[in-house]
């Protein structure tokens, strides 16, 4: 590591998430600095870099990895661009935080997995930030105590205010439900074996041809059933909620985050309007954990295996959406370097 002993991070992709991570690394994270900002749109990269003491700007991710003060890479470009950037970082021996999805499809995820296996050690943390959210962390800790007994069912609700332009029905699964695939696997410690997608009559507020909402059902190899309501044009707020039902009890998260106020004969609170608000603390902890581990030459958190498993489940989910019926998930055996 160079420059005052801090981790020099090249942030690739200066859109919504990349700009937020640049701000985070510059203003919130300790032990790290923004060493480069990269975007195919040079003006966007310049504008974002200007908010981080004018960090160097590039339009080519590979060129951005060359300078000696770049110690690590944070990928926040769109999913289809992740594979090439990951492989380039591997070639340069650089550790990576890669926003979800690791890749949009399982075949690409497998290529990344094979490349990491050849390195013989983990280099990537995948950006499944819910594992760093205080409520999810508490739920996981409670499940680990065994007090609730064996998990039987996990109900999830995932609502966005409005879908971005160009959003397709399959993206509700591959972009949004991708989070629940990870949450379910992580909380339950099971692999997802099959996916079924039910299609309610679309909301009148969904853009034409968008199947929104969807009701997704996972079966797991531990015998649990998981459901996910995904509704990306709910209009009223950004909500992520979950309830786990176990043999001796249940636990629920996501019911309320804001202040509860009493005023003018009413009580209540506000609902977050997007993920940068709802999961602000989780992103802060995620990036800090990555920086801390990387400075100790370690890799922790969600792995390339987790990214591959999520891609395989989402692929099965998209098939279930498009073809109907129950689709089984095809998953390789987990390599030893990714644990049990
Ligand atoms: N963890 C989470 O909660 C969230 C994660 N994401 C993920 O973050 C990533 C970025 O998403 P957004 O910021 O919403 O997208 P965005 O569209 O706002 O920004 C992407 C940026 O990457 C740039 N770009 C495109 N191809 C590139 C390439 N090859 N090299 C460098 N830059 C390139 C674009 O010009 C754009 O500025 C995606 O993988 C997305 O799934 C997005 C939202 C929330
Ligand atoms: O990752 C995310 C977005 O890409 C996705 O589009 C949203 O639905 C999720 O809520 C958000 O966390």
């Amino acid at each position: 590591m160079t420059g005052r002993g801090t981790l020099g991070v090249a942030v690739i992709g200066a859109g919504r998430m990349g700009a937020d991570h640049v701000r985070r690394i510059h203003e919130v994270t300790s032990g790290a600095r923004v060493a480069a900002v990269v975007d195919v749109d040079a003006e966007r990269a310049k504008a974002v870099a200007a908010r981080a003491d004018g960090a160097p700007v590039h339009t080519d991710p590979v060129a951005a990895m060359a300078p000696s003060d770049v110690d690590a890479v944070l990928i926040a470009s769109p999913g289809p661009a992740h594979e090439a950037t990951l492989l380039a970082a591997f070639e340069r021996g650089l550790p990576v935080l890669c926003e979800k999805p690791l890749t949009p499809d399982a075949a690409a995820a497998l290529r990344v997995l094979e490349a990491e296996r050849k390195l013989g050690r983990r280099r990537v943390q995948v950006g499944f930030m819910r594992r760093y959210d205080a409520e999810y962390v508490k739920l996981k800790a409670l499940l680990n105590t065994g007090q609730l007994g064996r998990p039987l069912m996990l109900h999830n609700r995932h609502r966005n205010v409005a879908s971005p332009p160009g959003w397709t029905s399959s993206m509700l699964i591959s972009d949004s439900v991708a989070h629940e695939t990870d949450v379910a696997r992580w909380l339950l410690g099971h692999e997802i074996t099959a996916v079924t997608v039910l299609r309610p009559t679309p909301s009148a507020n969904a853009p034409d041809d968008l199947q929104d909402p969807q009701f997704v059902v996972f079966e797991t190899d531990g015998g649990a059933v998981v459901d996910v309501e995904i509704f990306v044009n709910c209009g009223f707020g950004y909500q992520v909620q979950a309830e786990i039902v176990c043999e001796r009890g249940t636990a629920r998260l996501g019911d309320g985050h804001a202040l509860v106020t009493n005023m003018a004969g009413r009580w209540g609170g506000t609902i977050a309007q997007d993920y940068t608000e709802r999961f602000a603390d989780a992103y802060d902890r995620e990036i800090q954990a990555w920086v801390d581990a990387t400075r100790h030459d370690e890799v922790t958190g969600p792995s390339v295996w987790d990214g591959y498993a999520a891609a395989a489940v989402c692929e099965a989910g998209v098939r279930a959406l498009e073809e109907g019926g129950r689709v089984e998930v095809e998953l390789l055996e987990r390599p030893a370097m990714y644990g049990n």
Side-chain angles (χ1 to χ4, degrees):
M1 254 173 327
T2 54
R4 295 169 294 155
T6 55
L7 189 78
V9 181
V11 179
I12 318 273
R16 188 87 197 272
M17 287 307 290
D20 198 39
H21 285 321
V22 164
R23 176 198 58 77
R24 176 167 290 108
I25 291 168
H26 189 58
E27 295 175 7
V28 181
T29 314
S30 64
R33 73 199 138 77
V34 180
V37 177
V38 188
D39 202 291
V40 288
D41 179 338
E43 291 311 310
R44 191 173 291 177
K46 265 187 225 162
V48 170
R51 290 180 238 144
D53 286 346
V57 165
H58 297 265
T59 51
D60 174 14
V62 175
M65 294 180 204
S68 59
D69 67 339
V70 170
D71 306 307
V73 177
L74 191 161
I75 302 177
S77 52
H82 291 182
E83 179 185 0
T85 309
L86 281 159
L87 298 180
F90 289 173
E91 271 181 29
R92 282 153 193 80
L94 294 171
V96 183
L97 182 296
C98 180
E99 263 304 343
K100 50 65 56 179
L102 175 70
T103 62
D105 61 286
L110 257 188
R111 290 193 289 273
V112 173
L113 188 141
E114 284 307 326
E116 193 180 47
R117 277 180 74 183
K118 280 194 189 129
L119 298 174
R121 58 181 293 214
R122 283 190 56 192
R123 293 311 267 157
V124 183
Q125 176 178 326
V126 180
F128 286 123
M129 78 298 182
R130 291 194 197 172
R131 295 193 190 197
Y132 299 86
D133 173 72
E135 284 187 284
Y136 275 104
V137 168
K138 273 190 200 148
L139 177 56
K140 176 71 176 161
L142 176 62
L143 291 172
N144 285 350
T145 66
Q147 290 172 67
L148 288 181
R150 188 168 59 87
L152 306 170
M153 290 177 285
L154 174 64
H155 308 295
N156 301 275
R157 285 184 286 274
H158 185 168
R159 299 178 184 139
N160 294 184
V161 176
S163 53
W167 213 242
T168 63
S169 298
S170 64
M171 289 168 87
L172 271 72
I173 295 179
S174 57
D175 224 85
S176 303
V177 175
H179 285 290
E180 277 76 18
T181 66
D182 187 63
V183 155
R185 296 178 58 257
W186 176 63
L187 287 177
L188 298 168
H190 302 172
E191 290 297 357
I192 295 166
T193 51
V195 190
T196 307
V197 179
L198 302 180
R199 309 161 56 127
T201 301
S203 162
N205 298 321
D208 282 351
D209 298 331
L210 194 72
Q211 177 57 57
D212 184 33
Q214 297 173 22
F215 193 82
V216 182
V217 179
F218 299 146
E219 295 162 54
T220 78
D221 62 2
V225 170
V226 178
D227 61 79
V228 188
E229 171 206 308
I230 178 68
F231 186 14
V232 298
N233 288 279
C234 80
F236 59 81
Y238 183 87
Q239 275 187 332
V240 168
Q241 299 169 331
E243 181 177 36
I244 194 152
V245 180
C246 304
E247 282 175 327
R248 287 194 290 276
T250 72
R252 202 160 85 180
L253 62 75
D255 286 324
H257 278 272
L259 285 178
V260 174
T261 55
N262 299 282
M263 198 174 62
R266 300 175 74 87
W267 67 270
T270 54
I271 307 176
Q273 290 298 296
D274 72 9
Y275 38 83
T276 57
E277 185 184 351
R278 163 66 179 85
F279 286 112
D281 293 346
Y283 297 123
D284 286 353
R285 276 191 286 271
E286 170 192 52
I287 300 302
Q288 189 65 63
W290 174 62
V291 166
D292 292 347
T294 305
R295 293 181 81 203
H296 289 97
D297 200 24
E298 291 169 5
V299 185
T300 57
S303 68
V304 165
W305 174 261
D306 297 314
Y308 158 68
V313 172
C314 290
E315 212 167 270
V318 170
R319 271 189 55 209
L321 170 72
E322 290 171 351
E323 297 166 16
R326 172 181 179 276
V327 175
E328 293 194 356
V329 178
E330 287 171 28
L331 212 57
L332 290 187
E333 204 166 311
R334 187 195 292 236
M337 75 181 252
Y338 298 110
N340 296 316

